[in-house]
Amino acid sequence: MSPRSTHLREQRQRMASAVRQAHISRRGVLSGAAGVAMLGLLSACGTKGMGGAKPSPAADRSAEEAAVRWSNWTLYLDLDDAGRKHPTLDAFQDTSGLRATYTEDIDSNDTWYGKVQGQLSRGQDIGADIITPSDWMCERLIRQGYVQKLEHANMPNVMANMLPKLKDVRWDQGRYRSVTWQTGFTGLVWNKKAFPQGLRNVEDLWDPRLKGRVTVLDEMRDTMPMMLLDQGIDIAGDWTQTDYENSIDVLDRNIRNGQIRQVKGNSYKEDLISGDVVAAMAYSGDITQLNFENGDQWEFVLPERKGLIWSDNMMVPVGSPHKANAEKLMDYYYDPEIAAEVAAYVNYVCPVLGADEAMKDIDEELVNDPLIFPTDEYLAQSTSERQLTLDEETLFQNMFQEVIGS
Amino acid sequence: MSAPAKEARAVEKVDLRSPEEIRAEKKKGRMGAWLILPGMLYMALFFAAPVVVLLSMSLFVKPEGAELGEFVPGWNFGTYAEVWNRYWPVLLRSFVFALIATVAALIIAFPMAYLVAVRLRGKPLLKGILLVLLIAPFFSSFILRTQAWKQILADEGWIVQTLKAVAILPADGSLTATPFAVICGLTYNFLPFMMLPIYASLERLDTRLLEASGDLYASPAQTFMKVTLPQSMPGVFAGTLLTFIPAAGDYVNAAILGNNRDTSMIGQVIDSRFFKVIDYPGAAALSFILMVCILILVLIYIRRFGTKDLF
């Protein structure tokens, strides 16, 4: 196990016990609130059709109300030793005079969307001024007109310090509606002791020696692009429905024959710990965390046929009355020193230029961690899928749910 | 009873009672109505209204070129046929799992309830401790307890290792991610709903009846079948309903302990139709079908086994 600074390790342990206690995971599949939310949404939207005209943004009352509310994934912002305060956020409150409310209430893009879509479609305030969904969900929200346009003049740090690669994402050219929060990779993981051979490509998961000891992710947007890449398809290019069908057949076959034990959300981590699962598709940050908590047992790689790179992005929902305040907060986190502090805690790829310099003062070793500050070669090993059409979005998701039995 | 008959009886009563008695009677009636009101309002607001919304949602139509999640009011009964054809095997599986879990819970819960309610009479301390021990695990989170089953049945756990050692389980076999694990989880999680009603009715069991049965030369087995069991039937009946109904709609156990081949339950499908595929009418139609199926099954059960004094 590589020796890291002790404060980091302590932080990890606290995070681990916090996870065990609260039993929440960043991309958890299960939400007890799901059923309740479903009822709420149904009764809220039942009388009136959804969709139609796009909602118009709420008036900005930032000048009168010194507040900003931020919805994020769990374990995605630095936490102090007592596990109660977020030092960087507290510092922001002190300097800006704004009262920040931080809520870790996004645990799956789909569940979150199911909860708030009705309100968003009517332009109502969903109780958050900043939301942090993943790329493909951001694309959907922009298309549906559910987020507000940002004022670049209010965010000089973002303009100056965002990694150039991130500035022109396909779905938000020039970043007028979104600001990257953190970036991560989807790749392969295996238990080094139980499967010393290791994995090079997704196809290696189908090794007979791994029968019944493999999981893949239950997010279609992770598993299917990985399957497509494994078929040698350029997922950023013009692949077709036939390509998708061929890839999902491979998935189907390996679910039917018991090679894949389960298709799982974030809880795949627990199966890795219990030993039920030896090899899996996984998120980069998770594995860093697992290795800290349980000894250095697992190895994470991007497949030779490439892995996925994704981001979670800060956006201002259409009904938020605090857009200017939200922009202030986004800008604050693009200060390299602040970004480095966050990166040292969350261990995901930092989207801020100059944060690697600032990191030298916090933890020298993290500067060379490719999962936080990836080299160009590492980045070249990853890609992301082209835009799906509306029909594809529904069809592909439907096919995926069919194959995974729900 | 027809209205005139009611009136006739009321008139008859008036003749027999003093004016004070009539006033007291009327006041009681009004009191009763007021006491029922909050319950009725609650049911109207949180049950009747959502069911109506659910029904109307299930008939919504997706317009041409609609944005994701965009549906307009309509009368699309086709949704029902579509989801029924596609998901009836999952629905059937849900009921089979729920049935097995209910029977298993009954077999486990009855002796426990009997021990605490009958055998430990006159030992209030021991009885209290046992009762708390039986209920205490259910103070912790439902999800956490289900997760614990994953550890108990894990491949490296002692149960699987032992079963493999004695060759009950093949060398490459496992217990998690199987229907067995899902049914175990369902049984365990709904056990208190089975046990408590049985306990409540056994607690009222008059043990002198058991003695009398013995005096009449009934064997213990006969006493159990002819005296104890019939006396506890209201509890068994309530317990089976309280276990079966939620178990049939449960999705947590199947999601955590199941696999993706032969353990999916209808709750998971409704969840994925709603949140993943964003097919709100489909999810609503499935929910409604589930409700109707449970209603039919329960009605059959009540007609077949129900006692008059219960319903």
Side-chain angles (χ1 to χ4, degrees), chain A residues 30 42 46 49-50 117 140 143-144 255-256 261-263 270-271 276 397-398 402 404-406, chain B residues 53-54 60 67-68 70-71 86 147 150 155-156 176 256 258 260-261 264 272-273 275-276 278 280:
Chain A
L30 290 164
L42 280 178
M50 281 168 287
Q117 196 227 335
R140 185 194 285 177
R143 190 183 70 214
Q144 297 184 325
I255 288 176
R256 300 297 128 213
R261 187 188 191 94
Q262 257 182 309
V263 181
E270 281 133 37
D271 292 24
D276 280 3
Q397 187 76 52
N398 229 325
E402 177 101 52
I404 70 170
S406 61
Chain B
V53 171
L54 196 69
F60 273 31
E67 176 50 86
L68 213 61
E70 181 184 350
F71 298 95
R86 186 158 166 195
Q147 202 68 41
K150 272 197 74 109
D155 286 7
E156 312 296 328
T176 54
I256 294 182
N260 301 84
R261 295 186 304 280
S264 297
S272 82
R273 297 311 304 171
F275 288 109
K276 302 267 180 181
I278 319 208
Y280 299 141

Side-chain angles (χ1 to χ4, degrees), chain A residues 215-244:
Chain A
T215 57
V216 297
L217 295 161
D218 75 348
E219 284 246 11
M220 186 268 276
R221 303 283 185 146
D222 285 304
T223 296
M224 286 318 295
M226 291 283 278
M227 300 293 296
L228 281 157
L229 281 170
D230 202 49
Q231 303 289 306
I233 288 158
D234 171 19
I235 56 170
D238 276 335
W239 49 274
T240 62
Q241 188 179 327
T242 316
D243 295 328
Y244 186 89

Side-chain angles (χ1 to χ4, degrees), chain A residues 153-166:
Chain A
N154 292 342
M155 307 189 293
N157 281 338
V158 175
M159 290 303 102
N161 299 336
M162 185 184 277
L163 292 178
K165 249 188 252 296
L166 291 170

Side-chain angles (χ1 to χ4, degrees), chain A residues 173-404:
Chain A
Q173 300 270 328
R175 291 283 180 181
Y176 286 99
R177 286 182 172 77
S178 65
V179 172
T180 310
W181 169 241
Q182 301 287 317
T183 293
F185 299 102
T186 305
L188 299 170
V189 67
W190 68 90
N191 185 312
K192 289 188 279 191
K193 211 168 83 199
F195 195 65
Q197 299 89 333
L199 305 165
R200 296 211 319 251
N201 279 305
V202 172
E203 160 184 85
D204 300 334
L205 289 171
W206 322 140
D207 186 318
R209 284 169 295 189
L210 289 173
K211 188 173 162 112
R213 314 300 291 271
V214 173
T215 57
V216 297
L217 295 161
D218 75 348
E219 284 246 11
M220 186 268 276
R221 303 283 185 146
D222 285 304
T223 296
M224 286 318 295
M226 291 283 278
M227 300 293 296
L228 281 157
L229 281 170
D230 202 49
Q231 303 289 306
I233 288 158
D234 171 19
I235 56 170
D238 276 335
W239 49 274
T240 62
Q241 188 179 327
T242 316
D243 295 328
Y244 186 89
E245 282 164 5
N246 292 337
S247 304
I248 208 163
D249 283 347
V250 178
L251 180 68
D252 189 39
R253 198 162 55 240
N254 285 293
I255 288 176
R256 300 297 128 213
N257 67 18
Q259 181 75 22
I260 294 175
R261 187 188 191 94
Q262 257 182 309
V263 181
K264 303 215 78 173
N266 228 11
S267 50
Y268 75 89
K269 288 184 282 185
E270 281 133 37
D271 292 24
L272 283 172
I273 296 170
S274 78
D276 280 3
V277 164
V278 171
M281 280 188 200
Y283 301 118
S284 55
D286 285 352
I287 303 308
T288 317
Q289 186 181 321
L290 272 189
N291 277 330
F292 263 111
E293 290 161 11
N294 303 283
D296 199 13
Q297 295 186 47
W298 296 277
E299 185 152 347
F300 177 89
V301 294
L302 293 176
E304 284 174 5
R305 292 176 200 141
K306 286 191 184 176
L308 303 177
I309 183 165
W310 44 263
S311 296
D312 294 326
N313 307 274
M314 299 185 275
M315 303 176 109
V316 180
V318 66
S320 155
H322 305 126
K323 184 169 79 111
N325 292 347
E327 286 163 346
K328 236 179 238 172
L329 190 140
M330 293 180 191
D331 199 51
Y332 168 78
Y333 277 103
Y334 268 71
D335 177 327
E337 283 179 21
I338 308 295
E341 260 183 75
V342 174
Y345 178 82
V346 301
N347 278 277
Y348 273 101
V349 179
C350 181
V352 179
L353 272 177
D356 45 352
E357 276 298 314
M359 183 63 95
K360 282 180 186 160
D361 297 332
I362 301 174
D363 188 334
E364 188 92 38
E365 209 179 314
L366 292 183
V367 181
N368 298 320
D369 188 336
L371 297 181
I372 300 176
F373 300 106
T375 56
D376 285 344
E377 295 95 76
Y378 203 85
L379 282 175
Q381 267 312 109
S382 64
T383 177
S384 52
E385 85 273 20
R386 69 159 168 83
Q387 178 174 14
L388 301 186
T389 67
L390 254 179
D391 289 344
E392 282 176 335
E393 207 171 342
T394 307
L395 177 73
F396 291 174
Q397 187 76 52
N398 229 325
M399 289 166 69
F400 185 70
Q401 295 303 330
E402 177 101 52
V403 164
I404 70 170

